[in-house]
Amino acid sequence: TVIGVERLIDALLMVAASQYVTNGMGPISINLIAPSDAGKTGLMLSALPNNARVINDFTAASLLRIVGEKRPPTYLVVPDFNVAMNDPPTVANMAMALMLALIAEGITEIPGVEEAYKVRAKALHARGLRFAFVTGMTPEMFYSRRGKWRNTGLLRRLVPINYVYSKITEKNVQQSIESGADLLQYLHTKTPRLKRGAVVIPHAAARRLLRVVHPPTER
């Protein structure tokens, strides 16, 4: 049962809506970091972005096949990122390198791959399309990778959100399980489709943000 995670759902909804922002940096990628059995999969599947595909694992070759599709997804949802990280080092490193390109500047050409993939990659780049990832992993796996990810830039593009349950939430979860409400259905619920447009910030909020970024100097 997903209980007491309203703020996380709000974050996932904002991530899903980021694909509709014009003049932005493209769809936002997110990495939920929490212990095992903390409901990461349930959270992701309860707020799936439109045009998302749920996959269990990926390699560089499988990502290239997705790139080669006529209508590739905007989001790739990988509930357990640990699976991809536990592939052999050479396989995992190639997958991470391609993943970084897909969620950053996009890809134009990768020498050595089939010509069809090259053509499709150039077409995606010309249209300004990039992929985004929604994934989750355990804190132990994240801490073991964060140094390398910081050096490659992946840490800046795959936004980490770390969460733990409070004691009250843990009690509510246990009571829910005891009452038989823990069905673990993991329904694939897609978020609403929105019109593309720029982000609009209310004037009051904009002024508060400006004071935080550029606080007034004393005279």
Side-chain angles (χ1 to χ4, degrees), residues 37-134:
D37 298 325
K40 297 187 291 295
T41 298
L43 283 168
M44 292 179 225
L45 300 186
S46 65
L48 282 176
N50 275 295
N51 197 25
R53 182 179 303 174
V54 181
I55 58 177
N56 296 112
D57 192 7
F58 65 90
T59 63
S62 63
L63 289 179
L64 283 173
R65 282 195 292 272
I66 295 175
V67 169
E69 296 176 358
K70 291 183 178 180
R71 295 182 179 179
T74 305
Y75 276 90
L76 291 177
V77 180
V78 188
D80 189 356
F81 205 30
N82 288 23
V83 176
M85 293 293 94
N86 285 324
D87 286 334
T90 53
V91 176
N93 290 340
M94 290 180 63
M96 293 303 102
L98 183 55
M99 175 184 176
L100 177 61
L102 287 171
I103 64 178
E105 67 279 359
I107 58 177
T108 53
E109 181 176 349
I110 302 178
V113 302
E114 295 181 22
E115 191 63 30
Y117 295 153
K118 291 183 181 181
V119 173
R120 181 62 56 186
K122 289 182 178 180
L124 285 173
H125 185 79
R127 291 161 52 196
L129 296 181
R130 289 172 293 182
F131 289 178
F133 285 76
V134 175

Side-chain angles (χ1 to χ4, degrees), residues 155-174:
L155 196 59
R156 292 186 293 106
R157 297 181 174 99
L158 189 64
V159 180
I161 295 185
N162 185 22
Y163 73 94
V164 294
Y165 287 146
S166 66
K167 294 298 181 182
I168 295 177
T169 301
E170 289 179 355
K171 179 180 178 181
N172 292 336
V173 170
Q174 292 302 321

